[in-house]
């Protein structure tokens, strides 16, 4: 009895699967077809593809073109179109027309009208937010630009805070982002290309560059990288960044992520390539060297001395963040003879009742600092600062009073952690924080010698890294003809050269009146 029941259930399930497979194969064939001449067949095809019986987003509106009295229909996705544009520039001109000989392109009042002949093109246009017009007894359809995607207003940058210079930041609307860059260039040589990078979702990447400056070989290299993906969906620039990296497991980032249009524009002026995507409030700059992460967006807006002063402070902060905790472990565990006797006695007296060695102390406090930082980022904004204050003051003080951690370790870890905040780039900041733990472990094993070994290995590794063929430490090593904007920048009048490692068509920064 149970066997018969199970076999019947299996038969019903198999029949349902067969029907679904047949239906799926039919849709695949339909999507590869050309547009039918009959309006009814086109309406039926759209209804099948978009599951009109249960999909509330798709709209198929039938109408009759005035004058010629020819039946037609328009297809669009309701949530991502501007209904006012459709009504004013498409429906009203078609219904009120009186001239039977007038062509469609002359009737419709739209900024962009494109002829399409296949269902693959129809689906791409509709999914982008455009409206497609089908006409009876016509194997050509017309696509009109009607997209209206809701997005934030242009606001200040959140992660790249600057003191002087433009405050505007990218939004999730790629059209707004392109306009923010475009308005900084009063030249016809700024090119905006697009490449589809996903197979199923048809996600587009927009490539911006100066045609009379960019290196053609670099541009082709970037395009080949973007066209090499075999994925269904890439919906964000952060996901794209992981696909186009030369070394996916490298601790050092090789693409620059920025949310400031003025910074992106300055890179484009120098011959770099900028990538933009829908729903991404930032862009990628290619290629990226170490010095691009070391610099901040507002340094060239500051006067020469002020900008270099901030770079000196940042260089000092990176050194403190990387080496302070490791040096403390090395000296207290292996090289006590390097410390003056009075300081050694002071350190010994603070550690007299502490049960843990210096290595364990530092490791506990560094991990605690990272936990407090992560908690402060993830909790709601009103209580974020409270978490930091509670963690830093109350827990630190309690640990000292309980003789679990020595007071000097609190100072060392706090100095190291606070210094890491001087690095504004997110990816480079993560790299600094991770490398700090590597130095701590090396110092705990071999002291200063372990730190030197890791430092030499790290430098050797950085020299070997390339970003789209560009050496990571250029133009310091190897040296190229450039403005040498590395640790310190020059006076703006002396920065005459674009980066030579990019091999731009126009190496010298000069006005061109032709």
């Amino acid at each position: 009895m149970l066997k018969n029941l199970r076999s019947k259930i299996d038969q019903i399930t198999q029949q349902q699967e067969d029907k679904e497979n047949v239906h799926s194969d039919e849709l695949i064939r339909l999507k590869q077809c050309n547009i039918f001449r009959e309006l009814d067949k086109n309406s039926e095809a759209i209804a099948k593809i978009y599951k009109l019986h249960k999909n509330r987003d798709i709209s198929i509106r039938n109408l009759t073109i005035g004058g010629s009295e020819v039946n037609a229909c328009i297809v669009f996705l309701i949530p991502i179109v501007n209904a006012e544009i459709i009504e004013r520039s498409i429906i009203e001109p078609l219904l009120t027309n009186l001239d039977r000989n007038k062509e469609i392109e002359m009737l419709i009042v739209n900024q962009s009208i494109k002829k399409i002949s296949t269902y693959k093109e129809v689906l791409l246009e509709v999914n982008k937010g455009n409206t497609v017009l089908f006409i009876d007894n016509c194997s050509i359809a017309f696509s009109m630009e009607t997209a209206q995607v809701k997005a934030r207003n242009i606001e200040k940058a959140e992660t790249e805070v600057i003191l002087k210079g433009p405050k505007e930041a990218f939004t999730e609307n790629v059209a707004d982002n392109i306009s923010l860059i475009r308005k900084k260039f009063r030249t016809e040589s700024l090119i905006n290309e697009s490449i589809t990078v996903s197979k199923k979702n048809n996600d587009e990447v927009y490539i911006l560059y100066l045609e009379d400056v960019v290196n053609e070989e670099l541009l082709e290299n970037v395009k080949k990288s973007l066209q090499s993906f075999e994925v269904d969906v890439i919906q964000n620039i952060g996901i794209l960044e992981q696909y186009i990296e030369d070394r996916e497991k490298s601790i050092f980032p090789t693409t620059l992520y920025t949310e400031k249009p003025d910074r992106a524009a300055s890179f484009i002026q120098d011959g770099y390539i900028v990538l933009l995507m829908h729903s991404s409030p930032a862009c990628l700059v290619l290629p990226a060297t170490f010095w691009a992460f070391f610099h901040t967006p507002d340094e060239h807006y500051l006067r020469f001395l002020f900008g270099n002063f901030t770079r000196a402070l940042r260089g000092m902060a990176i050194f403190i963040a990387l080496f302070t905790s490791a040096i403390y472990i090395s000296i207290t565990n292996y090289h006590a003879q390097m410390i003056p006797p009075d300081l050694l006695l002071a350190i010994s007296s603070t550690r007299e009742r502490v049960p843990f060695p210096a290595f364990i102390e530092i490791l506990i406090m560094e991990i605690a600092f990272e936990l407090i930082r992560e908690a402060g980022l993830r909790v709601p904004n009103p209580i974020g600062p409270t978490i930091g204050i509670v963690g830093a003051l109350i827990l630190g003080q309690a640990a000292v009073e309980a003789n679990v951690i020595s007071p000097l370790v609190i100072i060392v870890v706090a100095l190291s952690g606070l210094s890491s905040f001087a690095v504004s780039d997110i990816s480079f900041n993560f790299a600094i924080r991770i490398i700090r733990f590597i130095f701590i472990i090396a110092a705990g094993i071999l002291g200063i010698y372990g730190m030197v070994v890791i430092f030499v290995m790290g430098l050797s590794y950085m020299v070997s890294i390339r970003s789209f063929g560009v050496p990571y430490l250029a133009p310091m090593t190897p040296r190229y003809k450039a403005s040498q904007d590395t640790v310190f920048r020059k006076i703006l009048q002396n920065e005459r050269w674009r980066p030579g490692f990019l091999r731009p068509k126009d190496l010298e920064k000069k006005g061109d009146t032709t």
Side-chain angles (χ1 to χ4, degrees), residues 330 335 438-439 442-443 445-456:
S330 299
H335 312 287
I438 296 175
F439 275 114
I445 297 173
L446 291 174
I448 294 290
Y449 301 109
M451 293 176 60
V452 171
V453 169
I454 294 298
F455 184 74
V456 172

Side-chain angles (χ1 to χ4, degrees), residues 352-370:
E352 189 174 0
R353 295 183 181 181
V354 176
F356 303 114
F359 173 71
I360 300 298
E361 273 189 281
I362 290 288
L363 207 57
I364 289 173
M365 290 308 299
E366 289 283 3
I367 293 173
F369 190 91
E370 292 297 328

Side-chain angles (χ1 to χ4, degrees), residues 65 94 97 99-108 113 115 133 135 142:
I65 301 175
L94 290 176
N97 175 55
D99 189 350
R100 62 181 299 126
N101 297 319
K102 217 170 189 180
E103 295 183 359
I104 293 297
E105 291 94 329
M106 302 299 294
L107 280 176
I108 295 173
I113 303 175
K115 291 182 179 181
L133 170 67
I135 302 173
F142 298 88

Side-chain angles (χ1 to χ4, degrees), residues 1-262:
M1 183 74 178
L2 289 174
K3 288 183 179 180
N4 293 335
L5 181 60
R6 185 176 298 170
S7 63
K8 287 182 180 180
I9 293 173
D10 291 341
Q11 287 178 0
I12 294 171
T13 304
Q14 186 63 41
Q15 289 174 359
Q16 290 177 344
E17 290 179 355
D18 291 340
K19 288 181 180 179
E20 289 177 358
N21 290 335
V22 170
H23 184 65
S24 178
D25 293 339
E26 182 184 354
L27 287 180
I28 292 172
R29 287 194 299 270
L30 189 58
K31 292 175 184 179
Q32 296 172 348
C33 288
N34 291 329
I35 294 171
F36 302 110
R37 289 188 63 85
E38 297 84 359
L39 182 63
D40 293 342
K41 285 187 177 181
N42 288 323
S43 298
E44 184 180 346
I46 292 295
K48 282 183 180 179
I49 293 171
Y50 280 100
K51 314 282 191 306
L52 184 62
H53 63 283
K54 60 180 179 181
N55 188 352
R56 297 176 60 89
D57 286 347
I58 190 70
S59 176
I60 303 176
R61 177 165 175 178
N62 296 309
L63 51 87
T64 300
I65 301 175
S68 62
E69 300 300 323
V70 175
N71 293 327
C73 74
I74 56 174
V75 178
F76 54 89
L77 287 172
I78 299 170
I80 58 174
V81 298
N82 188 320
E84 185 180 347
I85 291 178
I86 294 175
E87 185 69 32
R88 187 181 66 250
S89 67
I90 301 173
I91 297 176
E92 187 177 332
L94 290 176
L95 293 178
T96 59
N97 175 55
L98 298 177
D99 189 350
R100 62 181 299 126
N101 297 319
K102 217 170 189 180
E103 295 183 359
I104 293 297
E105 291 94 329
M106 302 299 294
L107 280 176
I108 295 173
V109 187
N110 192 272
Q111 61 182 353
S112 174
I113 303 175
K114 183 167 66 173
K115 291 182 179 181
I116 52 180
S117 58
T118 65
Y119 269 102
K120 185 177 181 180
E121 293 175 297
V122 169
L123 301 181
L124 182 61
E125 294 297 317
V126 173
N127 292 337
K128 284 165 59 177
N130 295 339
T131 298
V132 174
L133 170 67
F134 293 97
I135 302 173
D136 198 16
N137 293 321
C138 182
S139 58
I140 297 293
F142 298 88
S143 171
M144 286 74 68
E145 193 171 306
T146 57
Q148 184 187 47
V149 181
K150 304 297 182 184
R152 291 183 297 125
N153 294 326
I154 296 172
E155 300 171 353
K156 290 184 179 181
E158 294 184 3
T159 59
E160 296 175 281
V161 180
I162 65 171
L163 303 176
K164 195 175 183 180
K167 301 294 193 294
E168 59 193 9
F170 288 125
T171 69
E172 285 76 10
N173 189 344
V174 72
D176 289 344
N177 295 341
I178 293 172
S179 69
L180 287 172
I181 294 178
R182 171 76 60 180
K183 74 177 185 179
K184 300 181 186 301
F185 291 89
R186 298 180 181 179
T187 173
E188 68 283 355
S189 63
L190 179 64
I191 303 299
N192 174 22
E193 292 188 53
S194 66
I195 290 179
T196 302
V197 292
S198 61
K199 305 300 180 184
K200 190 173 182 179
N201 208 46
N202 294 312
D203 298 302
E204 284 186 302
V205 173
Y206 297 87
I207 309 171
L208 278 72
Y209 59 91
L210 284 178
E211 188 179 28
D212 55 358
V213 174
V214 74
N215 179 277
E216 292 293 340
E217 186 179 346
L218 173 63
L219 182 61
E220 288 302 316
N221 190 9
V222 171
K223 289 181 181 179
K224 286 180 182 178
S225 178
L226 292 173
Q227 292 169 341
S228 64
F229 308 148
E230 293 292 337
V231 292
D232 286 345
V233 179
I234 299 178
Q235 291 187 338
N236 191 274
I237 205 80
I239 303 297
L240 178 71
E241 179 183 9
Q242 299 174 60
Y243 276 103
I244 63 176
E245 286 180 315
D246 289 341
R247 297 191 183 185
E248 298 85 356
K249 298 180 181 178
S250 172
I251 196 171
F252 294 101
T254 54
T255 56
L256 179 65
Y257 181 95
T258 179
E259 58 181 355
K260 291 190 61 58
D262 60 300

